[in-house]
Amino acid sequence: MEVKGNKIEFNNLLFQILDDNGNLKIEHLLGADAFIIDSRDPDFARYMLKKIRSHHEAEFYLKPIFLINYKESKDPVLSNLHDGILFSYDQLKEASETVKQIFLRTSHLNNQIISSYEAQVIKKVLDYLYTRNSRALKPYIDSRSITGYTFPELSMSFDKDEEFQVFDLLEWADKEGLIWPDFLEKVYLCNNCSSGFLSYREVCPHCNSSNSRAEDLVHHFPCAYVGPLSDFQNSFDTSLTCPKCNKALRHIGVDYDKPSIIHHCNNCDMNFQDVFIKAKCISCEHDTEVQYLKSKNVNVYKLTKKGRAAATNGIVFSNQEVEAIFGTVSMDVLKTMLHYELERIKENPLQKSTLALIHFENIFELYNKIGEKAQKELLEDLAVVLRENIKPTDFMAFESTSTLYLVLINSDVVKAAEMLKDIQAIIENLMKTNFNEFMIKLYTKERPLEAVAKAEFHLRELAKGVFA
Ligand SMILES: [Zn+2]
Ligand SMILES: [Zn+2]
Ligand SMILES: [Zn+2]
């Protein structure tokens, strides 16, 4: 064992100790094989764990992490996202075995390039679970999560106020057949901001005030008077007298009874039988009748066979989100139509058509913020804008939520490039105005259709620029 500052070399592995003395930039830590986080300060340990596990590069988020000076914690992030607790550095031998196991399993992973946002996040979780030999995603009650629940391995990719997206992603993965739900609990969330921190009150149906008192309703049999108990009371003693017939009340069940409760509002002075129950959101102050709260099932998820294989074999996603967007065709249809267009060009060599691609390089930053529903709406809006700027005979398909192919009929590459330039300016402007100055980075490329090559070849050649 060789110690140099905050680095320990052991068994040909470099362990980097992280404590809150150093001013560390995470990118400077790439050389280390594993991290040891000094957890004396649990906030610091949590911060580092989350920073590493939420990193977008597998190189970081899969890194083995050990905790030292750890005190038992209820924080699910702290207690679930490490690879072992060290009581002293004498345990580095066991730790180095764990590191080697994780490295071995990491080398099995399939590094497919995934363009859809949901698929990216879920693949990251599946990869993490695979390298840790784990087969389940468990929820934990967590006051740091806005929904009140956290799935540490998945939630690490989200900020506190984005945690509700975790439910959407799990539903997505369930639909894809990657995970299998086992019901655990139900939660009710604010229908405005998805917060689970709600304050429930009984309120007056007339003025919404929660300043009310409940009173027994008294029914006097001899005269049939019904009224709140206070009508029968006096300020001198505990005896009850009927305000209608002035007789003293004797025995409950004999000459009177209490058929129900009546509420009196101290704010508007109204009496009423049934209260409303409202939930006020502690996060956004929105006040909702409980029947309109969003309910979500909190499930324990087990990985399905498909889910377990996804880490190592890659996944074919069904592209739920880009199917059936008005004005576009599916990728399969585009391929078939492209094939016929190539045949047409073969017959008429003077016809020049162009295949083009638009890739939204940084759109996941935006998807991350706006959620799945708004993402779909955005794609639909984009399709409308694009349709307005191409010819009726042209056609297009979303290959994923970030990549789009266009076939521009009877447009040569020069004309196509001009069209793309115009489209680019329009989209940039649209995103800027609609998404709070968001600067979209667009990659566009065009390629003349030559009848000598097949449709697949053209598509592949065009895609090279995006992922290479
Ligand atoms: Zn709210
Ligand atoms: Zn009476
Ligand atoms: Zn009232």
Side-chain angles (χ1 to χ4, degrees):
M1 184 162 107
E2 204 182 320
V3 187
K4 263 192 217 142
N6 270 350
K7 292 184 172 69
I8 303 178
E9 254 196 84
F10 183 86
N11 240 344
N12 286 326
L13 294 172
L14 183 64
F15 290 86
Q16 169 86 45
I17 302 167
L18 306 174
D19 56 32
D20 54 358
N21 301 325
N23 188 8
L24 288 167
K25 264 216 127 128
I26 189 165
E27 279 74 18
H28 296 162
L29 305 172
L30 202 56
D33 294 306
F35 297 133
I36 301 173
I37 300 178
D38 190 328
S39 314
R40 237 170 297 209
D41 175 359
D43 290 335
F44 168 78
R46 172 181 228 279
Y47 171 79
M48 283 316 293
L49 259 178
K50 181 142 172 122
K51 198 158 173 86
I52 297 164
R53 292 290 184 239
S54 66
H55 203 273
H56 57 277
E57 304 242 22
E59 185 78 30
F60 276 107
Y61 67 74
L62 293 177
K63 193 82 84 184
I65 302 177
F66 301 91
L67 304 181
I68 196 158
N69 297 323
Y70 173 77
K71 288 184 288 288
E72 196 60 40
S73 166
K74 270 193 176 167
D75 180 347
V77 167
L78 261 190
S79 48
N80 284 282
L81 295 181
H82 63 76
D83 295 297
I85 292 163
L86 303 181
F87 298 101
S88 81
Y89 291 115
D90 298 338
Q91 286 171 297
L92 279 184
K93 190 171 178 326
E94 288 96 315
S96 61
E97 288 310 312
T98 307
V99 172
K100 282 177 182 161
Q101 270 303 314
I102 293 171
F103 281 179
L104 178 68
R105 292 183 77 85
T106 303
S107 71
H108 300 162
L109 294 176
N110 172 294
N111 299 315
Q112 79 188 116
I113 293 157
I114 298 172
S115 39
S116 115
Y117 165 66
E118 289 82 3
Q120 268 182 350
V121 178
I122 291 293
K123 176 73 162 59
K124 186 175 161 185
V125 174
L126 295 174
D127 285 357
Y128 180 80
L129 293 176
Y130 176 83
T131 55
R132 269 59 186 180
N133 223 341
S134 170
R135 291 182 163 199
L137 262 177
K138 277 191 218 136
Y140 295 84
I141 286 187
D142 184 8
S143 60
R144 292 177 203 244
S145 154
I146 193 162
T147 62
Y149 278 89
T150 188
F151 294 77
E153 296 88 348
L154 177 57
S155 302
M156 66 191 175
S157 297
F158 296 90
D159 284 341
K160 177 190 153 103
D161 52 352
E162 304 169 334
E163 277 254 9
F164 61 91
Q165 291 182 35
V166 165
F167 286 106
D168 299 337
L169 268 164
L170 289 166
E171 269 166 36
W172 180 89
D174 184 2
K175 260 190 248 161
E176 289 284 339
L178 298 164
I179 53 177
W180 184 263
D182 251 336
F183 181 87
L184 178 76
E185 181 59 288
K186 203 180 267 272
V187 280
Y188 293 89
L189 307 176
C190 169
N191 60 10
N192 183 48
C193 77
S194 296
S195 167
F197 293 85
L198 302 165
S199 169
Y200 296 88
R201 301 100 68 228
E202 293 183 338
V203 301
C204 165
H206 305 288
C207 74
N208 276 327
S209 168
S210 53
N211 184 6
S212 67
R213 65 188 145 83
E215 234 184 300
D216 284 324
L217 204 59
V218 175
H219 175 203
H220 191 214
F221 298 153
C223 72
Y225 179 78
V226 179
L229 181 67
S230 53
D231 286 3
F232 294 79
Q233 287 169 325
N234 64 67
S235 45
F236 314 110
D237 56 34
T238 56
S239 70
L240 300 171
T241 313
C242 176
K244 187 179 168 198
C245 66
N246 275 320
K247 276 187 194 153
L249 273 56
R250 290 183 319 231
H251 292 291
I252 187 158
V254 177
D255 60 335
Y256 73 98
D257 70 354
K258 294 176 176 174
S260 71
I261 283 176
I262 189 152
H263 299 271
H264 177 81
C265 175
N266 295 328
N267 186 49
C268 72
D269 231 21
M270 298 279 273
N271 287 327
F272 49 92
Q273 204 89 59
D274 296 315
V275 290
F276 276 20
I277 300 179
K278 280 196 148 187
K280 185 180 272 178
C281 176
I282 304 293
S283 309
C284 78
E285 297 188 25
H286 190 73
D287 206 4
T288 316
E289 278 177 51
V290 287
Q291 54 179 323
Y292 299 122
L293 291 174
K294 254 197 315 206
S295 86
K296 290 271 178 201
N297 286 357
V298 181
N299 301 310
V300 177
Y301 290 95
K302 296 199 182 76
L303 301 194
T304 60
K305 209 169 163 195
K306 184 179 171 189
R308 294 200 301 275
T312 51
N313 301 349
I315 337 173
V316 184
F317 295 102
S318 66
N319 268 349
Q320 291 164 12
E321 60 281 317
V322 291
E323 269 169 18
I325 288 178
F326 190 73
T328 68
V329 296
S330 73
M331 259 329 262
D332 283 342
V333 172
L334 181 125
K335 267 179 216 162
T336 311
M337 290 169 77
L338 182 57
H339 169 76
Y340 288 126
E341 178 59 14
L342 288 166
E343 290 297 318
R344 194 181 70 94
I345 292 171
K346 207 188 271 175
E347 302 259 307
N348 313 286
L350 287 176
Q351 304 280 12
K352 303 278 181 229
S353 290
T354 303
L355 176 66
L357 171 147
I358 300 177
H359 177 64
F360 305 91
E361 284 183 24
N362 57 342
I363 203 157
F364 294 114
E365 289 168 24
L366 185 63
Y367 289 161
N368 220 335
K369 286 200 197 99
I370 64 176
E372 195 180 357
K373 194 166 159 278
Q375 172 184 324
K376 175 103 195 229
E377 285 162 10
L378 170 59
L379 290 172
E380 283 165 352
D381 289 348
L382 281 173
V384 171
V385 171
L386 285 160
R387 273 257 67 110
E388 283 167 0
N389 287 282
I390 58 177
K391 293 196 297 290
T393 45
D394 298 340
F395 51 93
M396 59 186 187
F398 278 104
E399 195 244 339
S400 70
T401 51
S402 62
T403 309
L404 174 94
Y405 286 94
L406 296 145
V407 180
L408 306 169
I409 309 292
N410 291 342
S411 301
D412 61 23
V413 263
V414 180
K415 220 160 113 196
E418 276 167 23
M419 272 169 90
L420 286 173
K421 226 174 131 190
D422 291 344
I423 289 172
Q424 174 157 6
I426 293 167
I427 293 177
E428 280 170 355
N429 196 31
L430 181 98
M431 303 290 255
K432 219 174 128 190
T433 38
N434 284 304
F435 295 101
N436 193 19
E437 298 293 302
F438 182 73
M439 302 295 281
I440 185 81
K441 276 191 220 134
L442 285 190
Y443 169 92
T444 63
K445 205 179 167 192
E446 61 284 328
R447 174 184 172 82
L449 284 179
E450 286 150 9
V452 285
K454 286 206 155 93
E456 276 80 15
F457 176 81
H458 284 293
L459 288 167
R460 214 168 41 238
E461 283 300 303
L462 202 58
K464 264 186 187 165
V466 180
F467 298 123

